[in-house]
Amino acid sequence: MTGIICFHINLMVFYTTLMFTNIPDISSTGKKFQNEINYKNVIIGDSQTPYVDMNTSKASRIPYLCKGGQGVNWLRDRLSTYEVKEDVENVILVIGTNGVFGKYLKDDINGLFSEIKRCFPKAKILVVQGSWGWTKGNHVTSEFVRNYYKQYKNLGGIIIEPPIGEIEPHQNHPVYSKIGKNLDTNYLK
């Protein structure tokens, strides 16, 4: 019996590790090399961040501020240890999915915005709406998600269309291309 329990726990650890560490490293794809990284426009957030990064030519993610399986409060805390960057013009924020849009966890969106504004005092905050319906407990409606992101808008965030949507988001879906094109065309210099 103990062996079965250990096997089950090891399998769960393996699956969780695989799920939350399987974030593509775009530096190996040839899209963005170190000398092409744009830190005037930065992308921060969860495991969907690399796919937004892959589909914009005018922004780059900050690896220290991106991690799969994490939510608003993790990012707020991570930002609290990050240096001030006054030359950043836009912060693209990809967060909210892992806390199921505040359904199960109390997302400190005010605290997150305070830390973003401290770290990037001259930046606009562009908010990419997350994904839903792809994991147990993540069954919410489009309306629920849009209402959640109204909190970001009320704090000065600019909501980017379209949302990632009701999909399993861990591959380069066409919606990321639409989001990247919208960012590059309408928001980023």
Side-chain angles (χ1 to χ4, degrees):
M1 183 70 154
T2 304
I4 292 172
I5 292 171
C6 288
F7 173 77
H8 183 67
I9 290 171
N10 287 336
L11 188 59
M12 287 178 12
V13 168
F14 172 76
Y15 173 74
T16 303
T17 302
L18 181 63
M19 183 174 168
F20 294 126
T21 59
N22 191 19
I23 299 175
D25 177 6
I26 64 165
S27 62
S28 65
T29 66
K31 180 181 181 286
K32 293 180 184 174
F33 295 99
Q34 195 63 32
N35 62 349
E36 296 173 343
I37 292 177
N38 181 341
Y39 285 113
K40 183 171 72 171
N41 303 307
V42 298
I43 311 169
I44 63 176
D46 60 25
S47 62
Q48 297 161 106
T49 304
Y51 302 102
V52 173
D53 189 13
M54 282 183 212
N55 286 281
T56 175
S57 62
K58 297 180 180 178
S60 298
R61 66 185 155 123
I62 300 174
Y64 180 78
L65 299 175
C66 301
K67 187 172 183 184
Q70 301 302 320
V72 167
N73 299 337
W74 173 86
L75 186 55
R76 177 205 58 211
D77 294 346
R78 196 75 168 178
L79 281 158
S80 74
T81 65
Y82 197 72
E83 61 192 305
V84 173
K85 300 276 191 179
E86 299 216 16
D87 56 336
V88 172
E89 295 177 10
N90 295 289
V91 173
I92 301 164
L93 182 60
V94 186
I95 203 79
T97 296
N98 292 311
V100 191
F101 312 102
K103 186 175 178 180
Y104 297 117
L105 299 175
K106 172 71 173 109
D107 286 346
D108 182 12
I109 300 165
N110 288 327
L112 175 62
F113 267 65
S114 292
E115 285 300 328
I116 291 172
K117 290 174 183 177
R118 182 191 65 77
C119 291
F120 311 107
K122 297 178 182 175
K124 294 176 189 168
I125 303 172
L126 309 173
V127 182
V128 175
Q129 302 166 88
S131 63
W132 62 91
W134 54 274
T135 186
K136 185 177 180 180
N138 192 351
H139 296 289
V140 295
T141 64
S142 174
E143 180 182 7
F144 185 90
V145 172
R146 288 186 181 278
N147 284 333
Y148 171 79
Y149 284 107
K150 283 181 185 175
Q151 298 171 80
Y152 292 73
K153 184 176 181 180
N154 292 341
L155 292 170
I158 299 166
I159 305 302
I160 303 302
E161 295 292 341
I164 295 168
E166 191 171 0
I167 60 171
E168 195 294 317
H170 299 107
Q171 56 185 301
N172 197 13
H173 291 287
V175 70
Y176 290 113
S177 178
K178 291 176 185 175
I179 292 166
K181 183 177 181 181
N182 188 10
L183 287 165
D184 284 353
T185 303
N186 298 311
Y187 298 99
L188 307 177
K189 296 178 187 174

